[in-house]
Amino acid sequence: MEYLIGIQGPDFVLVAADNVAASSIIQMKHDYDKMFKLSEKILLLCVGEAGDTVQFAEYIQKNVQLYKMRNVVPSSKFHFSDITQSVPFVSSQTPYHVNLLLAGYDDADGPGLFYMDHLSSLAKAPFAAHGYGAYLTLSILDRYYKPDLTQDEAMDLLKKCIEELNRRFILNLPSFSVRVIDKNGIQELQKVTVGAAK
Amino acid sequence: MLRSHILPGGQTHLADRTNHFNFGLKTQEFAVPRGVDPSRFLKSCNNEEGVCIEMNHGTTTLAFKFRHGVIVAVDSRASAGQYLASNAVNKVIEINPYLLGTMSGSAADCQYWERLLAKECRLYRLRNNQRISVSAASKLLCNMMLGYRGMGLSVGSMICGWDKEGPGLYYVDDNGTRLSGRMFSTGCGNSYAYGVIDSGYKEDMTVEEAYELGKRGITHATHRDAYSGGVVNMYHMREDGWIKVCQEDVSELIHRYKKGMFN
């Protein structure tokens, strides 16, 4: 039902998530934000079981803050992916059923996008998606992605994916939040809504 | 130190006192007899072959924000399976003059946990010398729900209030979902209520129009949903606190609304 997508360029990462918070057949909110800011240049996109998502994301957020307080230098995103990886399965009596995308910009290593799922698999990838929508859009990303794409080209690629969802996906996802992370930090771009993507 | 005078020696955790809710801990705080595991018991009751305990959510409640505050409207029916236990249940808990909580799901769970929430809100007021915000109150309830994840609680609640940020409305449920929004409806009649209030909602409604919309939402939902009924209890959350607007029988309301329809 929920959809996350991330596209990494040479010096930025573009991420988008749908804005629907649903309960059975009802859309309870149409402007729900699924992105959680872990630090100035790191975003955690989190979908999955109700309650688990916010609980897990806020837990990681607070732990990152604690780490920053204990250690003077904020760690790179690669370290964060290690922290995050341990948690979904570690409390295996009641594991957190969450699927994540971790996107960030490291001043030394550049941009990075990590795909993580509820079984604690972790993969660094140039582009990634979560949800049923991924079945429709991963091939589009395979076909049109180039490692040196510009921010505008990434935006066009994102719009192509959203168009495909609007055309073929059975569920209505009327709007998507879009953010880009680069050396200047996290910028919120204009939401992509049905009609605008055409 | 003062602590050692108050608590018996060696005990530094508030958690050790029975019936004290301690939020944020992973350990279970419920006073259950030794050897009882609520989640395992619940799983055994949900088998298709054997005994199947169905949790019913017979209710319709709704709340929406508009220019002049928040309207909260609930029905008053309590069902136990197919049996109608009561048509005169109060599904709104008046936490304090600026905070209301609605109840849907299991009556016992809602009444207990929201009463506990009221206690925590009062303690907050006494400790911090200011009233708790709607956001914080809803977060307290949400954390209580998360503490008992998977153990069969059934709570669908809306926390409404007016604090420094203005009118507040949060939806909290037993999964740990907590959403802030301008309009929510819970219970098995919620889809019918959404239909009516979504199509009749205007941001700049007058107070009378809002009262009418709230009544209509509950009435039409009780008409279609067998597990909702009784009376509409309606509250209006204003800047200076809540007022109880009305308590009207839905059967009379539906007759009034339908009068022109079948002539």
Side-chain angles (χ1 to χ4, degrees):
Chain A
M1 319 294 172
E2 307 176 282
Y3 182 69
L4 300 178
I5 181 173
I7 303 173
Q8 183 204 319
D11 57 355
F12 67 92
V13 188
L14 182 71
V15 288
D18 74 285
N19 286 331
V20 172
S23 169
S24 137
I25 58 165
I26 305 278
Q27 276 187 27
M28 303 222 55
K29 265 187 88 116
H30 355 261
D31 54 359
Y32 186 62
D33 190 2
K34 301 181 186 180
M35 304 196 199
F36 296 86
K37 184 172 145 176
L38 295 190
S39 82
E40 288 312 307
K41 297 183 191 172
I42 304 183
L43 272 180
L44 178 68
L45 286 75
C46 192
V47 292
E49 201 175 301
D52 281 0
T53 49
V54 176
Q55 177 84 331
F56 177 80
E58 288 188 348
Y59 177 70
I60 298 296
Q61 252 182 347
K62 301 316 164 201
N63 269 293
V64 165
Q65 247 181 317
L66 179 62
Y67 182 97
K68 277 197 216 166
M69 281 187 230
R70 284 178 174 162
N71 307 279
V72 175
V73 177
S75 171
S76 77
K77 64 188 169 313
F78 302 100
H79 189 181
F80 287 151
S81 64
D82 293 333
I83 300 173
T84 322
Q85 186 183 17
S86 63
V87 184
F89 218 54
V90 91
S91 44
S92 40
Q93 290 92 29
T94 49
Y96 286 109
H97 199 288
V98 291
N99 293 314
L100 314 169
L101 285 183
L102 188 72
Y105 187 91
D106 191 57
D107 293 317
D109 303 300
L113 176 68
F114 291 82
Y115 170 100
M116 224 173 305
D117 79 359
H118 65 280
L119 298 166
S120 279
S121 337
L122 170 70
K124 184 174 192 311
F127 54 84
H130 272 299
Y132 287 122
Y135 288 95
L136 291 165
T137 50
L138 280 172
S139 51
I140 299 179
L141 292 164
D142 280 327
R143 166 68 179 87
Y144 292 105
Y145 176 82
K146 307 182 313 240
D148 56 350
L149 81 181
T150 67
Q151 218 167 299
D152 289 327
E153 286 169 342
M155 197 60 201
D156 287 334
L157 185 50
L158 175 68
K159 287 200 175 134
K160 260 206 183 68
C161 292
I162 292 178
E163 261 176 46
E164 180 61 14
L165 289 182
N166 289 331
R167 200 182 299 121
R168 290 288 180 186
F169 192 42
I170 198 178
L171 296 180
N172 182 32
L173 295 173
S175 86
F176 294 80
S177 298
V178 186
R179 289 192 168 92
V180 67
I181 311 176
D182 58 17
K183 62 180 186 331
N184 303 318
I186 302 172
Q187 274 102 265
E188 176 153 16
L189 303 178
Q190 208 184 19
K191 284 201 176 131
V192 178
T193 54
V194 177
K198 301 250 178 290
Chain B
M1 297 243 105
L2 197 62
R3 251 247 162 111
S4 55
H5 290 274
I6 298 171
L7 298 171
Q11 255 183 329
T12 49
H13 283 257
L14 292 170
D16 288 30
R17 301 209 301 263
T18 50
N19 286 333
H20 178 88
F21 172 76
N22 205 331
F23 24 102
L25 287 191
K26 294 256 188 243
T27 53
Q28 295 174 33
E29 299 307 322
F30 221 44
V32 292
R34 287 184 176 282
V36 172
D37 181 355
S39 8
R40 203 152 40 83
F41 169 72
L42 194 71
K43 282 198 188 76
S44 70
C45 291
N46 283 333
N47 293 328
E48 302 305 313
E49 317 89 47
V51 175
C52 193
I53 296 183
E54 272 178 28
M55 304 292 182
N56 284 314
H57 305 259
T59 294
T60 312
T61 71
L62 64 86
F64 57 86
K65 284 194 216 175
F66 71 121
R67 182 171 293 177
H68 303 285
V70 192
I71 298 289
V72 178
V74 301
D75 77 315
S76 66
R77 178 165 289 184
S79 45
Q82 320 296 41
Y83 171 70
L84 214 177
S86 165
N87 242 354
V89 176
N90 187 12
K91 299 187 188 180
V92 175
I93 179 168
E94 299 157 5
I95 296 172
N96 66 42
Y98 292 82
L99 258 188
L100 290 173
T102 66
M103 312 187 203
S104 71
S106 154
D109 284 338
C110 286
Q111 284 177 350
Y112 177 80
W113 289 105
E114 296 199 22
R115 198 131 189 276
L116 196 61
L117 175 66
K119 174 191 126 184
E120 293 296 334
C121 292
R122 177 72 186 131
L123 283 174
Y124 182 98
R125 169 81 178 82
L126 290 168
R127 286 172 182 149
N128 300 282
N129 208 17
Q130 60 175 332
R131 244 183 276 117
I132 192 171
S133 66
V134 189
S135 172
S138 61
K139 194 86 179 169
L140 279 178
L141 184 63
C142 175
N143 288 337
M144 291 179 201
M145 296 296 106
L146 283 165
Y148 295 89
R149 211 169 121 232
M151 295 188 209
L153 287 188
S154 172
V155 170
S157 162
M158 294 181 294
I159 306 297
C160 329
W162 198 300
D163 58 23
K164 290 199 198 73
E165 329 264 307
L169 175 59
Y170 284 82
Y171 166 76
V172 177
D173 77 9
D174 50 272
N175 296 324
T177 304
R178 173 177 165 267
L179 299 170
S180 163
R182 36 187 27 254
M183 184 190 289
F184 290 111
S185 175
T186 69
C188 56
N190 72 348
S191 48
Y192 305 115
Y194 271 124
V196 171
I197 56 180
D198 274 331
S199 36
Y201 181 86
K202 292 187 304 251
E203 166 62 38
D204 55 355
M205 280 188 286
T206 66
V207 173
E208 286 308 316
E209 284 173 341
Y211 290 167
E212 188 55 28
L213 188 65
K215 260 188 277 182
R216 280 267 182 178
I218 296 292
T219 309
H220 285 282
T222 58
H223 180 58
R224 284 289 178 181
D225 177 28
Y227 296 100
S228 303
V231 299
V232 181
N233 282 311
M234 185 150 60
Y235 292 73
H236 180 187
M237 178 64 66
R238 303 190 299 204
E239 191 162 5
D240 54 354
W242 54 261
I243 54 162
K244 180 150 187 190
V245 176
C246 71
Q247 183 177 51
E248 289 185 41
D249 192 317
V250 291
S251 15
E252 280 165 34
L253 282 170
I254 198 72
H255 272 115
R256 224 192 296 152
Y257 295 150
K258 296 273 184 177
K259 227 183 224 176
M261 269 190 76
F262 299 110
N263 290 353

